[in-house]
Each structure stands twice: as C-alpha cells, then as structure tokens.
C-alpha cells in the first residue's frame, strides 16, 4: 500500500501493513545513518509519547519535562500562526527502521521513505518541550495540525547511546546574550522602544554595547542594551499610558537622570574614559538602571506629567555613586563586586527612594529593616 495524497495537499505518513511510512532524506553522521522527514504537527503528540517522568534519572534518556516552560512556548505558536519558527525535533526509533531509496543509484539513493512498525517506540532526544507545546497549541487551534515540523530520526542503539545523544546535543548549546535577544526581537514593543532609545537618544547614542550583555574591562561603551532594557521594563511596568507616548516618556526620563550624572556627559565628550567610569562608579551598571527604573515607575504611576516627577530627579544629585561610598557595601556591592540579586536590587532601590524622600512599600521596608538589623547599614 503506498502513500495517499490529494492534489495540493502535504504528503503525510500513513499506516502501511501496520507501519508508519515517512518520506525522508538519508544522511550519515559518524558512520551512522539518520533520516530527515517532515511530520504533520497533528501526528507529533500521537507518535512521540513522553512517559518517563516516574523513572529514575539513570534509567531515563531525557530530563523531566518542565511544564513551567509550556505556556510561553504555546503562546508563541498561537500568537504568531503566520510567523512562528521551530527547529527540528531529534528522535530515536526503538524498533525496525527500513529506508527505501527512490532509485538504486545516483541522487535518488538518498531520497525515499522510511518504514517503521507501529509497535516501535519513539524517543525524543531533543525537543520535548516543543513537542509538548505543539500538543497544547493543537487543542486551541486544530488548524495547525496540517503544518509540518522537521524530524531527524536515528536508530535507537540502547539507553547509553540515547543518553549520550542527549548530552551531546545539549553540550554546546549556549543561550544567546540578552542584549542580542533585545536587538533582534521585532515582536516585543519594549525591545523596539529600547533599540530606538539606544540608537537615537543623546544620552545613549554611541555608548551602548548592542550585542554582549557584559562589557570587557577595556570596552569604550558605557552601557549594555540589556541593562537599558531592564531599566525601561521597570520604568514602564503597568503604566496606564498610550503606547505611542512611551518612547518619548522613557527618553525624557533618562535625559533627566543624565542631568544628575556628570560622568555620563564626560564620557560622551571624551574627557573621561568609559572603563574608568564603570570601574569607579555604579550608575552605568544594570543594577543601577534597573533600580532607577523602579523609582521612576513609582513617580510615573502618580502622574506622567513631567511637572510632577521632574522635580524629584534633581534630588538624585545627592546620591554618591562612587564605589568607595561605604553605603553601597552589602547593599549593592558584595565582596567587592556589584551584585544583581533580587535582594540587592531591592536594597539599591530603597537607597534611591530614601534619597528622593519617597516612601518604601511594606515589602521594601521589611527588606530594609532586615538589612539594618544585621548591621550591614
């Protein structure tokens, strides 16, 4: 029995004498054959069943599914039905796997179909969260079922080999720097706003590292794009303003901060090297921008009118941003290094609020009291 397709439809695997029949391309890696096929999304949850959650790690070939990741992945598919991108799944087949080339020689020998008994077991080596997200998304939008995803099939050579495949596939995986994620994200309005400010604002123009999220000791940049993004995220969080107003409001806020930090202007004027500023002061670090954004958010929640919040900005001139300021010890600096932990972010925010004569929230007051009781203050 062969494949059955209708004109204009996507060829899909069908049951053939109790077999799956996948159109495929054959390749070789490390002397082993593997096969690449296109599988309709509606079949992914049916043939790739994840049932190893109760097994001990040493007898599993995958990590436990992190269900906390699924909502974001699922929303990504559902919110971008015309523009989502998923990389291939990688799977091992525990059972007979036969390839039939379209021709006995020439290019056709690598193109054909693989036949897999329905009793075979499919194990995902890479892509279990994509598989689970596809299953959830299909419940809400069944029309996605006719779309396809690439699947790379290997023959299952035992538990040890499958575990090694998982280790190898994840060994060199490196999460991209947050800055380049912001730079390349064209779906997120806040990322677009941050790029706009970084490229056009007189405060940041020419002073932002757009790709890396950390700056080398000799970098001539003063800020990272990810640090500005954190500041903007805190600044604009849950503000009831028109989205078209946000870029101008954020730019005005950072210009007001800039007016209180003479070292930023000195770097732009090239009278003070950026590495010296980063080494001797805190105000260009991600921790400081994030804390400043939090303080700004409090003011803007009361009123976005500059006549309300601009007078507070002048009080920041009282802040001693020098690392040698002993008030930063334990609050923003631990063991001589700037700490970006949640506690240190809260303590740094508290310090700025108090300098601006702003009240602390009950949670912030609790953190502040604990800090002072320990004798850190």
């Amino acid at each position: 029995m062969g494949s059955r397709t209708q004109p204009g439809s996507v060829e899909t695997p069908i049951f053939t004498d109790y077999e799956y029949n996948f159109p495929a391309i054959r390749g070789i890696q490390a002397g082993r054959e593997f096969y690449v096929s296109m599988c309709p999304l509606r079949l992914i949850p049916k043939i790739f069943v994840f049932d190893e959650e109760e097994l001990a790690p040493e007898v599993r070939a995958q990590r436990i599914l992190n269900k906390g990741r699924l909502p974001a992945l699922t929303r990504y598919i559902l919110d971008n039905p015309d523009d989502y991108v998923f990389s291939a799944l990688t799977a091992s087949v525990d059972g007979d796997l036969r390839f039939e080339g379209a021709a006995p020689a020439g290019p056709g020998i690598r193109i054909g179909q693989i036949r897999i008994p329905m009793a075979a077991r499919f194990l995902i080596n890479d892509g279990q969260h994509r598989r689970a997200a596809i299953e959830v998304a299909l419940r809400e939008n069944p029309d996605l079922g006719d779309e396809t995803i690439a699947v790379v099939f290997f023959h299952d050579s035992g538990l040890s080999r499958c575990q090694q495949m998982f280790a190898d596939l994840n060994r060199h995986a490196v999460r991209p720097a947050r800055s380049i994620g912001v730079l390349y994200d064209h779906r997120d309005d806040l990322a677009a706003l941050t790029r706009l400010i970084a490229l056009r604002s007189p405060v940041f123009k020419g002073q932002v590292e757009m790709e890396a999220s950390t700056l080398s000791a000799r970098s001539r940049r003063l800020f990272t794009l990810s640090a500005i993004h954190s500041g903007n995220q805190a600044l604009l969080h849950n503000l009831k303003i028109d989205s078209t107003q946000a870029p101008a409001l954020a730019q005005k806020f950072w210009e007001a901060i800039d007016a209180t930090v003479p070292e930023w202007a000195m770097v732009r004027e090239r009278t003070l090297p950026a590495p010296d500023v980063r080494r001797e002061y805190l105000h260009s670090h991600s921790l400081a921008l994030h804390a400043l954004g939090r303080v700004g958010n409090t003011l803007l929640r009361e009123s976005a009118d500059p006549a309300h919040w601009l007078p507070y900005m002048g009080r920041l001139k009282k802040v001693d941003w020098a690392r040698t300021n002993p008030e930063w010890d334990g609050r923003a600096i631990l063991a001589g290094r700037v700490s970006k932990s949640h506690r240190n972010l809260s303590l740094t925010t508290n310090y700025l609020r108090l300098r601006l004569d702003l009240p602390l929230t009950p949670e912030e007051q609790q953190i502040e009291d604990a800090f002072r009781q320990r004798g850190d203050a």
Side-chain angles (χ1 to χ4, degrees):
M1 185 183 299
S3 298
R4 296 189 297 271
T5 60
Q6 296 179 355
S9 66
V10 177
E11 185 175 5
T12 61
I14 61 173
F15 302 139
T16 305
D17 296 331
Y18 305 102
E19 292 180 329
Y20 292 111
N21 181 2
F22 293 90
I25 299 173
R26 177 171 61 179
I28 296 177
Q29 283 185 4
R32 294 184 178 91
E33 288 192 355
F34 70 98
Y35 312 94
V36 181
S37 183
M38 298 297 150
C39 185
L41 295 188
R42 57 186 163 77
L43 287 183
I44 295 297
K46 297 178 180 179
I47 63 176
F48 297 108
V49 180
F50 190 81
D51 59 359
E52 296 186 329
E53 295 185 4
E54 302 301 322
L55 298 179
E58 61 271 19
V59 294
R60 274 194 270 114
Q62 256 286 14
R63 55 189 162 190
I64 290 293
L65 187 72
N66 181 357
K67 295 181 180 179
R69 292 180 57 188
L70 298 187
L73 275 173
T74 303
R75 290 313 326 164
Y76 167 68
I77 304 172
L78 294 173
D79 292 346
N80 302 281
D82 300 321
D83 198 25
Y84 73 93
V85 178
F86 266 176
S87 56
L89 306 178
T90 301
S92 294
V93 179
D94 182 7
D96 186 27
L97 190 158
R98 293 177 290 118
F99 176 80
E100 297 177 354
I109 200 172
R110 296 184 178 89
I111 303 172
Q113 58 187 0
I114 51 174
R115 295 179 178 273
I116 304 172
M118 291 177 60
R121 183 167 176 265
F122 296 83
L123 171 69
I124 290 185
N125 303 106
D126 183 56
Q128 63 165 332
H129 291 92
R130 274 165 278 156
R131 172 241 174 263
I134 288 169
E135 180 177 12
V136 178
L138 285 171
R139 295 175 194 156
E140 188 167 333
N141 184 3
D143 291 341
L144 292 168
D146 291 328
E147 299 196 0
T148 57
I149 188 170
V151 181
V152 182
F153 291 100
F154 289 86
H155 192 273
D156 190 335
S157 300
L159 177 62
S160 295
R161 173 60 183 165
C162 287
Q163 290 176 336
Q164 188 64 58
M165 286 177 65
F166 174 83
D168 290 346
L169 287 167
N170 290 278
R171 184 187 306 274
H172 303 296
V174 178
R175 186 181 181 87
R178 188 161 177 257
S179 284
I180 200 169
V182 173
L183 180 64
Y184 290 168
D185 189 349
H186 296 276
R187 301 186 195 281
D188 182 62
D189 291 339
L190 185 62
L193 179 149
T194 298
R195 289 193 302 272
L196 182 68
I197 289 177
L199 294 171
R200 297 185 182 180
S201 168
V203 177
F204 300 118
K205 186 177 180 180
Q207 303 301 321
V208 181
E209 167 54 53
M210 305 295 284
E211 184 170 353
S213 293
T214 56
L215 294 169
S216 68
R218 297 184 179 182
S219 174
R220 296 180 180 179
R221 307 300 185 190
L222 196 54
F223 312 96
T224 63
L225 189 64
S226 60
I228 299 173
H229 186 266
S230 294
N232 285 331
Q233 192 170 44
L235 176 68
L236 301 172
H237 180 65
N238 284 342
L239 286 187
K240 296 179 179 179
I241 59 173
D242 191 286
S243 59
T244 59
Q245 297 176 306
L249 182 60
Q251 179 166 327
K252 192 171 188 64
F253 174 79
W254 294 115
E255 288 175 356
I257 298 296
D258 178 65
T260 70
V261 185
E263 292 82 13
W264 289 6
M266 294 170 72
V267 171
R268 292 195 300 271
E269 295 163 1
R270 300 189 178 182
T271 59
L272 189 63
D276 291 353
V277 172
R278 296 197 311 272
R279 183 174 59 252
E280 297 174 12
Y281 298 92
L282 293 176
H283 44 49
S284 64
H285 287 261
S286 177
L287 173 74
L289 297 187
H290 197 159
L292 287 166
R294 282 188 169 190
V295 172
N297 180 260
T298 299
L299 295 171
L300 293 176
R301 279 173 182 267
E302 295 177 6
S303 174
D305 185 352
H308 164 71
W309 56 266
L310 271 177
Y312 285 90
M313 297 296 98
R315 301 177 190 178
L316 286 172
K317 293 180 180 180
K318 299 184 297 183
V319 175
D320 181 1
W321 291 102
R323 288 200 189 207
T324 54
N325 178 4
E327 293 182 294
W328 295 125
D329 291 340
R331 187 182 289 275
I333 297 177
L334 296 178
R337 299 178 64 88
V338 179
S339 172
K340 296 188 291 184
S341 72
H342 175 75
R343 176 177 178 273
N344 290 109
L345 173 61
S346 295
L347 288 170
T348 301
T349 304
N350 289 356
Y351 183 84
L352 296 177
R353 289 195 195 282
L354 295 173
R355 291 299 175 275
L356 269 63
D357 300 320
L358 294 174
L360 304 183
T361 66
E363 180 184 358
E364 290 170 339
Q365 188 64 60
Q366 185 178 11
I367 294 173
E368 187 69 20
D369 291 343
F371 174 70
R372 294 178 180 276
Q373 288 171 6
R374 288 174 50 189
D376 294 328

